[in-house]
Amino acid sequence: MLERHASRATRRAREFEAFVAGAAGRLLHAATLLTAEAPDDNPRARRLLTLSLAHTYACWDRLRGEDPYDRTRQYLATRFARGTWHHYGALGRSRPHPASPLAPLTPQERLILVLRLYEGVAEEQTAALLGLSPERVRAICHRATSVLLHRPRGPAPAVTAAKAVRS
């Protein structure tokens, strides 16, 4: 009996290690996009990923054919949303790293954009996960995409009189 339990625990650990080896990089990148931290300095994203993987490991035996990646991604998203809400009072007042490509977006916009465009989660699934209507998810995703595509590029270079004369 004890030997069978030990072999099951060993098999479980090997399966989970294989899952982490295959999925951790993509999940860390998604967490880094969510937290809007710099890719080389992302302690919040690493903590978020660690908590998500720990949750997945805790329920590994209960997955029963469910995709562990989906479960981990779902926990990562809900943990981010709850943590942002509790820490900042609402999904809108975090301080992203200026070098992050998603820095101009609110946490809710980042969450929906990462789920929809980076992870490829359907509108209906994203809406169900976040407790929003699919129309609201579509509108937020559209607005976030517009912000990223049409953000100001910075001040235009000044044209001096010498350059204008040479032209």
Side-chain angles (χ1 to χ4, degrees):
M1 174 85 161
L2 192 60
E3 186 178 303
R4 184 174 44 169
H5 183 66
S7 70
R8 186 183 311 153
T10 303
R11 181 178 46 85
R12 175 185 186 201
R14 266 184 294 168
E15 289 173 354
F16 185 74
E17 286 174 9
F19 164 69
V20 170
R26 183 171 174 92
L27 287 167
L28 178 61
H29 188 68
T32 304
L33 289 172
L34 286 174
T35 58
E37 295 175 306
D40 54 344
D41 183 28
N42 54 2
R44 286 181 52 219
R46 290 179 183 279
R47 178 167 167 68
L48 187 62
L49 176 62
T50 302
L51 291 170
S52 300
L53 289 173
H55 179 265
T56 302
Y57 185 73
C59 63
W60 190 260
D61 291 334
R62 294 184 307 248
L63 290 176
R64 307 221 192 286
E66 186 181 341
D67 185 11
Y69 186 86
D70 286 342
R71 173 70 69 98
T72 307
R73 180 183 57 214
Q74 179 181 4
Y75 189 79
L76 186 99
T78 55
R79 181 77 186 203
F80 171 75
R82 270 185 288 147
T84 303
W85 181 267
H86 289 295
H87 189 267
Y88 297 105
L91 282 174
R93 293 195 317 241
S94 68
R95 296 191 181 141
H97 191 277
S100 171
L102 302 182
L105 303 177
T106 67
Q108 185 181 45
E109 290 170 337
R110 285 196 308 262
L111 178 58
I112 289 173
L113 206 64
V114 167
L115 287 174
R116 291 283 298 125
L117 301 181
Y118 181 72
E119 288 292 325
V121 178
E123 244 175 41
E124 293 77 19
Q125 287 178 302
T126 303
L129 178 66
L130 301 177
L132 301 170
S133 69
E135 294 80 21
R136 181 76 178 133
V137 168
R138 187 178 313 114
I140 293 171
C141 188
H142 179 67
R143 182 178 63 226
T145 306
S146 295
V147 166
L148 291 179
L149 292 175
H150 303 296
R151 65 178 158 184
R153 304 262 190 253
V159 178
T160 62
K163 286 183 183 178
V165 171
R166 275 189 255 156
S167 300

